Amino acid sequence: MNTISRISQFSGLVFVAAGAIIFAANAYSAVSVKFTKPEGFADMPFSDSGKEDVYKELRRHFDKLGAKLPAGQDLKIDIRDINLAGSIEPQRISTDGDFRVLRGGADFPMMEFKYVIESQGKVIKSGDARVTDFNYLRGLNRYSANEPLRYEKKMLDEWFVKEIVAEKN
């Protein structure tokens, strides 16, 4: 095999690999999560690291939800307010992090956000959502007791199935 044949063969492989990368990039959904005016959120941890943990968990969870969208659809979330399940009692604040007390009354989780689902720059669906779970301590929760934001994740799962997945069928 001469040098020109090898270069041609190598160029063909590069072209095929580049095409596969472009196809893969177009086949997967992208998710972006933004937190608008987080200093005004109804209920967040006191520490900066605690707040960052909440943001990271919510981003991760919306990534999982976005992965369930059809290929090429992107999910954009703009979170406007968060009220975590339970409440922090002043006498129970520790240096290790917030200690949340879950009573199942008026301490239910709530989240307000704007969402947009796009495909190739075209809006497929958008809206404002205010999701709550008044009965967060009752019923089944597939997330373990150790799972951060387990009640909020369950609440978001239910919203996603009802508002996004159900619309597709």
Side-chain angles (χ1 to χ4, degrees):
M1 186 179 281
N2 65 24
T3 305
I4 293 174
S5 295
R6 286 186 186 159
I7 291 172
S8 176
Q9 191 175 33
F10 178 74
S11 297
L13 289 174
V14 170
F15 180 73
V16 169
I21 291 170
I22 290 169
F23 174 76
N26 289 333
Y28 294 102
S29 299
V31 177
S32 69
V33 179
K34 182 173 107 175
F35 299 90
T36 299
K37 298 184 182 175
E39 64 280 355
F41 288 174
D43 179 28
M44 289 292 286
F46 290 115
S47 71
D48 289 340
S49 64
K51 291 174 187 169
E52 285 302 318
D53 290 344
V54 169
Y55 302 148
K56 186 178 358 174
E57 278 300 314
L58 289 174
R59 279 189 181 101
R60 189 176 302 146
H61 195 67
F62 277 113
D63 282 343
K64 286 180 184 177
L65 293 176
K68 296 175 183 179
L69 290 171
Q73 290 188 4
D74 302 327
L75 175 64
K76 294 180 181 180
I77 300 288
D78 181 4
I79 298 178
R80 309 277 173 89
D81 197 8
I82 298 173
N83 192 341
L84 300 175
S87 60
I88 300 169
E89 294 189 359
Q91 67 270 22
R92 303 209 179 176
I93 296 173
S94 75
T95 57
D96 295 336
D98 298 333
F99 187 85
R100 301 192 74 77
V101 177
L102 306 172
R103 289 201 167 87
D107 60 351
F108 54 86
M110 182 280 303
M111 205 171 298
E112 291 180 7
F113 54 90
K114 181 171 180 54
Y115 67 93
V116 177
I117 299 173
E118 295 179 343
S119 180
Q120 299 176 349
K122 183 178 177 184
V123 174
I124 295 172
K125 182 172 183 167
S126 66
D128 292 310
R130 184 177 197 273
V131 293
T132 58
D133 186 356
F134 297 112
N135 296 312
Y136 73 97
L137 289 178
R138 295 177 189 90
L140 297 174
N141 189 332
R142 68 182 187 92
Y143 296 101
S144 75
N146 310 356
E147 181 76 24
L149 305 180
R150 72 186 291 234
Y151 300 108
E152 292 77 7
K153 290 176 181 178
K154 176 184 177 250
M155 176 180 75
L156 291 170
D157 290 350
E158 290 170 356
W159 166 80
F160 190 80
V161 167
K162 182 180 173 188
E163 294 297 322
I164 307 303
V165 175
E167 285 276 322
K168 304 290 183 203
N169 298 326

